[in-house]
Amino acid sequence: LKALHLLREEAKHVHSRALERLAGDVETRTKMGDGPFDQVINSIEKMIFHLMNEQKEEDDHKQWCDLELNKTTTSISDKKEKIEELTLKIDEATATAALLGEEVQSADEMVATIQAHMKEATEVRKIGKEENAKATKDAQDAQTAIANAIAVLKEFYKSSGAVKKESWEFIQRAPVDLPDTPSTWDSGYTSVSDPTAQPDGIVSVLEKVSADFAEMESQTAAQEQSDQEAYDEDLKTSKIEMARRQEESSQKKTEQKRTLEKKASLTAARKSVASEKEATEQYLKDLQPACVDGSSTYEERKEARDGEIEALKQAQDLLQNAFEAKATGFLAVRRQQRQAVLRTD
């Protein structure tokens, strides 16, 4: 009866149909006096083995689930960190590429500015050179014209006696016979003023003008040389700066290309990791029914199963004791019956 009561209580507690059937079997055998309880005890022992094996399988499954859940959760966390790291690197590459693009644009604009400056400077130099050449020619032509005019005037004034001839200018000529009273002989010729007098003599004035034109020619030549030297120096400096800027642009473009290629590689890597993360998250969802979901937890099932095993063991002990007691009483009765038969004989 104790075993029966124990089995029924435990069956209600753990909601076990197997224990209910076993309790029913024990009750039937008890009422009918159908003994011994060998089959019942064997059934209990099989149930205990079954429950212990079931617990071992669940322990193994629990261990596998814990390992998979932990591994999967860790993998998701690692991939999330990897994605964040890659995103940061992609953002840095994007910013770097944009900055390099701005620097390339700035360098190219500077090259264009220098080229425009060189073109303008060359045009200005060409115009200046032409103007200086024209001014030099005008000064030279003027000096030539003035020199010719001075020569004519001096020749005239020397022939008239207004200007003293040089010693080498006196040349012996054949005598000229003139009539006693030439028809045009009226009075002697005298010049207006000394043509070489300073500063108003005509020759002196022309010589001063010629000197001014010579000075202008000299200044123009000096200005031309100065302008050419300044142009050459400016062109040299501009070419050096343009070459430097072109090299800077080329290097920046190469660096920008490498950066964009790196960004593309990082983006592809992030996409791959994101796909892996998505697949791992799906695997974690797939683990839920087998490892997490259910009306009871592993701990609750283990506790119920341990209680069921303990109840079965107690019932087994009670039935075993009852069986042994019954067997002992039966043997005592048989011995008494055998002794009674012997005494009768």
Side-chain angles (χ1 to χ4, degrees):
L1 292 179
K2 287 183 179 181
L4 179 61
H5 178 73
L6 181 64
L7 290 173
R8 283 180 173 172
E9 287 296 322
E10 189 61 27
K12 290 180 182 180
H13 179 68
V14 299
H15 306 286
S16 174
R17 292 183 179 180
L19 283 180
E20 288 180 359
R21 288 195 298 271
L22 181 60
D25 191 15
V26 172
E27 183 179 15
T28 300
R29 289 178 177 278
T30 301
K31 288 180 178 180
M32 295 178 61
D34 187 14
F37 298 101
D38 299 29
Q39 293 181 358
V40 176
I41 292 173
N42 289 334
S43 296
I44 291 175
E45 189 169 353
K46 289 180 181 179
M47 287 183 67
I48 290 174
F49 288 149
H50 173 74
L51 290 171
M52 291 177 67
N53 184 63
E54 189 179 79
Q55 183 62 49
K56 182 180 182 305
E57 289 179 352
E58 184 165 3
D59 288 342
D60 293 341
H61 180 69
K62 174 68 165 51
Q63 184 178 4
W64 177 84
C65 282
D66 289 344
L67 180 63
E68 288 298 305
L69 288 170
N70 182 66
K71 182 173 66 176
T72 304
T73 303
T74 301
S75 178
I76 292 174
S77 178
D78 292 343
K79 295 182 189 306
K80 182 179 179 181
E81 291 180 1
K82 185 65 176 178
I83 289 174
E84 292 175 352
E85 178 185 349
L86 289 170
T87 299
L88 180 61
K89 290 182 178 179
I90 290 171
D91 292 342
E92 290 177 353
T94 301
T96 300
L99 178 60
L100 289 170
E102 293 175 358
E103 292 176 346
V104 167
Q105 182 179 359
S106 176
D108 290 343
E109 289 175 353
M110 181 56 68
V111 169
T113 300
I114 293 173
Q115 289 174 336
H117 169 73
M118 292 170 63
K119 181 179 179 181
E120 181 181 1
T122 300
E123 291 174 354
V124 170
R125 178 81 280 270
K126 180 181 178 182
I127 294 172
K129 192 177 188 68
E130 291 174 352
E131 291 177 348
N132 288 334
K134 184 177 182 301
T136 299
K137 186 177 184 304
D138 290 344
Q140 291 173 345
D141 291 345
Q143 291 177 77
T144 300
I146 292 172
N148 291 335
I150 291 174
V152 170
L153 288 173
K154 282 186 175 182
E155 179 68 21
F156 171 75
Y157 286 123
K158 286 179 179 180
S159 64
S160 66
V163 176
K164 182 181 178 180
K165 291 184 177 181
E166 300 293 336
S167 60
W168 53 270
E169 291 180 308
F170 291 97
I171 301 174
Q172 297 294 329
R173 293 184 181 181
V176 178
D177 293 333
L178 294 175
D180 293 335
T181 57
S183 59
T184 59
W185 194 283
D186 192 12
S187 62
Y189 169 77
T190 59
S191 61
V192 176
S193 62
D194 185 357
T196 59
Q198 296 293 339
D200 298 327
I202 184 61
V203 173
S204 297
V205 170
L206 290 175
E207 288 177 344
K208 176 66 171 61
V209 172
S210 179
D212 290 341
F213 277 114
E215 178 65 21
M216 184 178 72
E217 180 185 0
S218 175
Q219 290 179 353
T220 302
Q223 184 64 44
E224 170 63 21
Q225 182 179 358
S226 176
D227 291 347
Q228 185 63 40
E229 289 176 353
Y231 168 75
D232 291 341
E233 182 64 26
D234 180 43
L235 211 63
K236 177 182 177 182
T237 303
S238 297
K239 288 181 178 179
I240 292 173
E241 180 63 16
M242 184 174 68
R244 187 181 74 83
R245 290 290 186 166
Q246 288 174 332
E247 180 63 21
E248 177 185 355
S249 176
S250 177
Q251 290 181 355
K252 297 291 185 181
K253 286 178 181 177
T254 301
E255 187 177 354
Q256 184 187 42
K257 181 181 178 181
R258 287 199 301 266
T259 302
L260 291 174
E261 290 174 350
K262 179 181 178 181
K263 176 186 175 182
S265 177
L266 291 170
T267 302
R270 182 177 65 176
K271 182 178 180 181
S272 176
V273 174
S275 298
E276 293 174 1
K277 177 175 175 287
E278 183 179 351
T280 306
E281 288 173 339
Q282 183 59 49
Y283 179 61
L284 181 62
K285 290 181 181 179
D286 294 341
L287 287 175
Q288 300 302 307
C291 298
V292 179
D293 297 341
S295 58
S296 61
T297 64
Y298 165 81
E299 288 74 16
E300 291 172 343
R301 292 191 298 274
K302 186 175 187 307
E303 182 181 359
R305 193 176 289 111
D306 289 344
E308 189 173 355
I309 291 173
E310 181 62 28
L312 285 170
K313 287 182 177 180
Q314 292 181 18
Q316 183 184 27
D317 290 341
L318 291 172
L319 290 174
Q320 185 68 38
N321 292 335
F323 172 73
E324 291 176 356
K326 186 173 182 180
T328 302
F330 175 76
L331 291 175
V333 171
R334 290 297 300 271
R335 282 197 300 272
Q336 290 176 0
Q337 290 176 350
R338 189 179 295 112
Q339 289 175 359
V341 171
L342 292 174
R343 283 197 301 270
T344 303
D345 295 338

